[in-house]
Amino acid sequence: MAHTEDRTAWFEGQGLWQHVPASDWNDWVWQLKNRITTLDQLEKYMVLTQDERRGIAFAGHKLSLAITPYFLNLIDRNNPACPVRLQVIPREGESVVSAGETPDSLGEDEHSPVPGLVHRYPDRVLFLITDRCASYCRYCTRSRLVSNAQDYNFHPEYEQGLRYIESHPEVRDVLLSGGDPLLLSDKKLEHLLSRLRAIKHVELIRIGSRIPVFLPQRITPALCDIFKKYGPVWMSIHVNHPKEATAELRDACERLSLAGVPLGNQSVLLRGVNDDAETMKALVHRLLRMRVRPYYLYQMDLITGGSHFKVDVRKGIEIIRALRGHTTGYAIPQYVIDAPGGGGKVPVNPDYIEKITDEEVVFKNYEGRTYRYPLTAAPQARQIPNSNSQIPNSKNQTA
């Protein structure tokens, strides 16, 4: 179903929690303490389907249920197909394992030289520093370890990870992830950033976080001061649908941007959430208005119990094709498949090239029109200067 919206409207307010003092509502610790984590709690706010009830019963064996009050407000409680609802309320499909799905679909454990650190690419590492999130995405790539519902018993080893980075001068780029790094206290986060910034060969520090989306209250002036102190720190947030782009998220992104944090967005292509061109166009336009550059559109990883979210890759290509030429290039994310087993990210693009010969490239533009770009440089004619034109010399040139 195509997405329609009021482009001038930004959701804001306390919604179901109007009775709560604003000082509590705007406190990220209060939000965490009051998360909805059980069936009984959730049923106080909405009527659940049998599919959802069975999914919640299974969640304790796969990936825990947790939704911040702020994010629950974004759910259409009368619509089981609500794209926000689909992302955070478990469904029975999570118990079904389909062909090709594995707990560690990206082979991270195989590329982990020390606990909590993944070194797949030559010059960069993934540093997993927590197994907790503010809310749990039902398609989570790391559902094997996040929330520990599967008894993975992940314990971050900060010192081992830092020593590994210190001893490997080829590592110039460190991505902090988890779980969600921004759930760490300011003190712990500052400690990690200061240690990383002290390593001379580390040029780039990045953070992957959905905290601004689930918990924009966490983006406090104190946290922004830490980013200013140890910047530049780059951040990729994770917004999948325009409904998630609220006034609170917009304001949080502005605080981060003004603190010198460059922002990108990583979306996952999900059935029923964002698998049509109009929804994706509305999303990327909202992102740009929030100072966020659309970065990646991921084909969903082959995690166990994720097949009910899976979208045909050809649909993803169709969406990218529908964006190209119909919006600014800044708004178009790179569509990628993270190769199963640890092969890394592989771009998937619409096929605009018809053929390449020694003489030319033949291609189509976004309208389907054919163009040719010559590859040879054989001269065909000499340009003769106009006989009436005069080349000025230094004497008749004016200042």
mmCIF file of all heavy atoms in Angstrom, residues 115-134:
data_model
loop_
_atom_site.group_PDB
_atom_site.id
_atom_site.type_symbol
_atom_site.label_atom_id
_atom_site.label_comp_id
_atom_site.label_asym_id
_atom_site.label_seq_id
_atom_site.Cartn_x
_atom_site.Cartn_y
_atom_site.Cartn_z
ATOM 1 N N PRO A 115 37.046 -11.573 21.798
ATOM 2 C CA PRO A 115 35.600 -11.451 22.049
ATOM 3 C C PRO A 115 35.098 -10.020 21.846
ATOM 4 O O PRO A 115 35.675 -9.059 22.351
ATOM 5 C CB PRO A 115 35.465 -11.875 23.518
ATOM 6 C CG PRO A 115 36.636 -12.768 23.769
ATOM 7 C CD PRO A 115 37.747 -12.205 22.944
ATOM 8 N N GLY A 116 34.019 -9.912 21.060
ATOM 9 C CA GLY A 116 33.380 -8.615 20.869
ATOM 10 C C GLY A 116 33.992 -7.741 19.787
ATOM 11 O O GLY A 116 33.544 -6.611 19.603
ATOM 12 N N LEU A 117 34.958 -8.263 19.051
ATOM 13 C CA LEU A 117 35.572 -7.464 17.987
ATOM 14 C C LEU A 117 35.608 -8.280 16.694
ATOM 15 O O LEU A 117 36.036 -9.442 16.695
ATOM 16 C CB LEU A 117 36.980 -7.027 18.380
ATOM 17 C CG LEU A 117 37.632 -6.013 17.440
ATOM 18 C CD1 LEU A 117 38.349 -4.922 18.240
ATOM 19 C CD2 LEU A 117 38.609 -6.682 16.496
ATOM 20 N N VAL A 118 35.111 -7.698 15.613
ATOM 21 C CA VAL A 118 35.051 -8.364 14.310
ATOM 22 C C VAL A 118 35.987 -7.629 13.356
ATOM 23 O O VAL A 118 35.857 -6.422 13.152
ATOM 24 C CB VAL A 118 33.621 -8.365 13.738
ATOM 25 C CG1 VAL A 118 33.574 -9.060 12.380
ATOM 26 C CG2 VAL A 118 32.655 -9.036 14.721
ATOM 27 N N HIS A 119 36.934 -8.366 12.781
ATOM 28 C CA HIS A 119 37.901 -7.778 11.848
ATOM 29 C C HIS A 119 37.752 -8.487 10.498
ATOM 30 O O HIS A 119 38.431 -9.462 10.207
ATOM 31 C CB HIS A 119 39.327 -7.930 12.375
ATOM 32 C CG HIS A 119 40.319 -7.083 11.654
ATOM 33 N ND1 HIS A 119 41.631 -6.946 12.068
ATOM 34 C CD2 HIS A 119 40.201 -6.298 10.550
ATOM 35 C CE1 HIS A 119 42.275 -6.134 11.246
ATOM 36 N NE2 HIS A 119 41.426 -5.748 10.309
ATOM 37 N N ARG A 120 36.815 -7.976 9.689
ATOM 38 C CA ARG A 120 36.526 -8.578 8.389
ATOM 39 C C ARG A 120 37.232 -7.832 7.259
ATOM 40 O O ARG A 120 37.804 -8.428 6.368
ATOM 41 C CB ARG A 120 35.011 -8.598 8.141
ATOM 42 C CG ARG A 120 34.635 -9.090 6.736
ATOM 43 C CD ARG A 120 33.129 -9.080 6.508
ATOM 44 N NE ARG A 120 32.443 -10.021 7.369
ATOM 45 C CZ ARG A 120 31.482 -9.723 8.221
ATOM 46 N NH1 ARG A 120 31.090 -8.469 8.360
ATOM 47 N NH2 ARG A 120 30.913 -10.646 8.950
ATOM 48 N N TYR A 121 37.137 -6.511 7.283
ATOM 49 C CA TYR A 121 37.755 -5.698 6.239
ATOM 50 C C TYR A 121 39.184 -5.335 6.642
ATOM 51 O O TYR A 121 39.499 -5.261 7.836
ATOM 52 C CB TYR A 121 36.938 -4.421 6.022
ATOM 53 C CG TYR A 121 35.525 -4.665 5.559
ATOM 54 C CD1 TYR A 121 34.460 -4.589 6.455
ATOM 55 C CD2 TYR A 121 35.244 -4.968 4.228
ATOM 56 C CE1 TYR A 121 33.155 -4.798 6.036
ATOM 57 C CE2 TYR A 121 33.934 -5.183 3.804
ATOM 58 C CZ TYR A 121 32.894 -5.094 4.711
ATOM 59 O OH TYR A 121 31.607 -5.303 4.298
ATOM 60 N N PRO A 122 40.066 -5.090 5.659
ATOM 61 C CA PRO A 122 41.479 -4.880 5.981
ATOM 62 C C PRO A 122 41.752 -3.741 6.953
ATOM 63 O O PRO A 122 42.591 -3.874 7.851
ATOM 64 C CB PRO A 122 42.113 -4.591 4.615
ATOM 65 C CG PRO A 122 41.196 -5.219 3.616
ATOM 66 C CD PRO A 122 39.821 -5.089 4.202
ATOM 67 N N ASP A 123 41.047 -2.606 6.803
ATOM 68 C CA ASP A 123 41.440 -1.399 7.540
ATOM 69 C C ASP A 123 40.462 -0.993 8.627
ATOM 70 O O ASP A 123 40.597 0.088 9.199
ATOM 71 C CB ASP A 123 41.618 -0.231 6.569
ATOM 72 C CG ASP A 123 40.304 0.212 5.937
ATOM 73 O OD1 ASP A 123 39.361 -0.618 5.876
ATOM 74 O OD2 ASP A 123 40.194 1.380 5.512
ATOM 75 N N ARG A 124 39.461 -1.827 8.939
ATOM 76 C CA ARG A 124 38.475 -1.403 9.927
ATOM 77 C C ARG A 124 37.932 -2.588 10.717
ATOM 78 O O ARG A 124 37.926 -3.725 10.243
ATOM 79 C CB ARG A 124 37.329 -0.645 9.274
ATOM 80 C CG ARG A 124 36.658 -1.327 8.104
ATOM 81 C CD ARG A 124 35.974 -0.250 7.243
ATOM 82 N NE ARG A 124 35.231 -0.773 6.127
ATOM 83 C CZ ARG A 124 35.772 -1.067 4.940
ATOM 84 N NH1 ARG A 124 37.062 -0.933 4.766
ATOM 85 N NH2 ARG A 124 35.016 -1.495 3.952
ATOM 86 N N VAL A 125 37.464 -2.250 11.923
ATOM 87 C CA VAL A 125 36.933 -3.287 12.804
ATOM 88 C C VAL A 125 35.569 -2.855 13.342
ATOM 89 O O VAL A 125 35.260 -1.664 13.439
ATOM 90 C CB VAL A 125 37.880 -3.578 13.997
ATOM 91 C CG1 VAL A 125 39.189 -4.152 13.516
ATOM 92 C CG2 VAL A 125 38.095 -2.334 14.854
ATOM 93 N N LEU A 126 34.786 -3.861 13.687
ATOM 94 C CA LEU A 126 33.503 -3.686 14.346
ATOM 95 C C LEU A 126 33.696 -4.028 15.809
ATOM 96 O O LEU A 126 34.125 -5.136 16.142
ATOM 97 C CB LEU A 126 32.463 -4.614 13.700
ATOM 98 C CG LEU A 126 31.095 -4.744 14.377
ATOM 99 C CD1 LEU A 126 30.325 -3.443 14.273
ATOM 100 C CD2 LEU A 126 30.308 -5.889 13.735
ATOM 101 N N PHE A 127 33.408 -3.081 16.696
ATOM 102 C CA PHE A 127 33.644 -3.247 18.124
ATOM 103 C C PHE A 127 32.281 -3.328 18.811
ATOM 104 O O PHE A 127 31.572 -2.334 18.923
ATOM 105 C CB PHE A 127 34.439 -2.048 18.630
ATOM 106 C CG PHE A 127 35.139 -2.253 19.958
ATOM 107 C CD1 PHE A 127 35.983 -1.267 20.454
ATOM 108 C CD2 PHE A 127 34.968 -3.403 20.718
ATOM 109 C CE1 PHE A 127 36.643 -1.413 21.668
ATOM 110 C CE2 PHE A 127 35.618 -3.576 21.935
ATOM 111 C CZ PHE A 127 36.463 -2.573 22.410
ATOM 112 N N LEU A 128 31.907 -4.534 19.252
ATOM 113 C CA LEU A 128 30.611 -4.756 19.901
ATOM 114 C C LEU A 128 30.777 -4.513 21.396
ATOM 115 O O LEU A 128 31.458 -5.285 22.084
ATOM 116 C CB LEU A 128 30.128 -6.184 19.639
ATOM 117 C CG LEU A 128 30.038 -6.592 18.156
ATOM 118 C CD1 LEU A 128 29.611 -8.049 18.030
ATOM 119 C CD2 LEU A 128 29.084 -5.683 17.405
ATOM 120 N N ILE A 129 30.145 -3.461 21.912
ATOM 121 C CA ILE A 129 30.427 -3.044 23.281
ATOM 122 C C ILE A 129 29.254 -3.243 24.238
ATOM 123 O O ILE A 129 29.383 -2.951 25.426
ATOM 124 C CB ILE A 129 30.906 -1.577 23.310
ATOM 125 C CG1 ILE A 129 29.864 -0.621 22.736
ATOM 126 C CG2 ILE A 129 32.217 -1.439 22.565
ATOM 127 C CD1 ILE A 129 30.261 0.838 22.827
ATOM 128 N N THR A 130 28.142 -3.749 23.763
ATOM 129 C CA THR A 130 27.016 -4.072 24.640
ATOM 130 C C THR A 130 26.067 -5.026 23.916
ATOM 131 O O THR A 130 26.082 -5.105 22.690
ATOM 132 C CB THR A 130 26.246 -2.803 25.068
ATOM 133 O OG1 THR A 130 25.146 -3.176 25.899
ATOM 134 C CG2 THR A 130 25.712 -2.047 23.866
ATOM 135 N N ASP A 131 25.247 -5.742 24.693
ATOM 136 C CA ASP A 131 24.256 -6.639 24.092
ATOM 137 C C ASP A 131 22.840 -6.137 24.342
ATOM 138 O O ASP A 131 21.878 -6.878 24.166
ATOM 139 C CB ASP A 131 24.416 -8.066 24.625
ATOM 140 C CG ASP A 131 24.058 -8.187 26.103
ATOM 141 O OD1 ASP A 131 23.999 -7.144 26.795
ATOM 142 O OD2 ASP A 131 23.842 -9.315 26.580
ATOM 143 N N ARG A 132 22.702 -4.866 24.727
ATOM 144 C CA ARG A 132 21.389 -4.319 25.064
ATOM 145 C C ARG A 132 20.983 -3.206 24.116
ATOM 146 O O ARG A 132 21.828 -2.464 23.601
ATOM 147 C CB ARG A 132 21.395 -3.773 26.501
ATOM 148 C CG ARG A 132 21.785 -4.797 27.541
ATOM 149 C CD ARG A 132 20.754 -5.902 27.689
ATOM 150 N NE ARG A 132 21.343 -7.152 28.182
ATOM 151 C CZ ARG A 132 20.657 -8.167 28.632
ATOM 152 N NH1 ARG A 132 19.336 -8.092 28.676
ATOM 153 N NH2 ARG A 132 21.255 -9.273 29.016
ATOM 154 N N CYS A 133 19.678 -3.087 23.901
ATOM 155 C CA CYS A 133 19.109 -2.004 23.096
ATOM 156 C C CYS A 133 17.938 -1.401 23.864
ATOM 157 O O CYS A 133 17.384 -2.035 24.770
ATOM 158 C CB CYS A 133 18.609 -2.516 21.743
ATOM 159 S SG CYS A 133 19.906 -3.159 20.676
ATOM 160 N N ALA A 134 17.548 -0.185 23.472
ATOM 161 C CA ALA A 134 16.396 0.444 24.116
ATOM 162 C C ALA A 134 15.112 -0.282 23.754
ATOM 163 O O ALA A 134 14.230 -0.487 24.590
ATOM 164 C CB ALA A 134 16.310 1.912 23.708
#
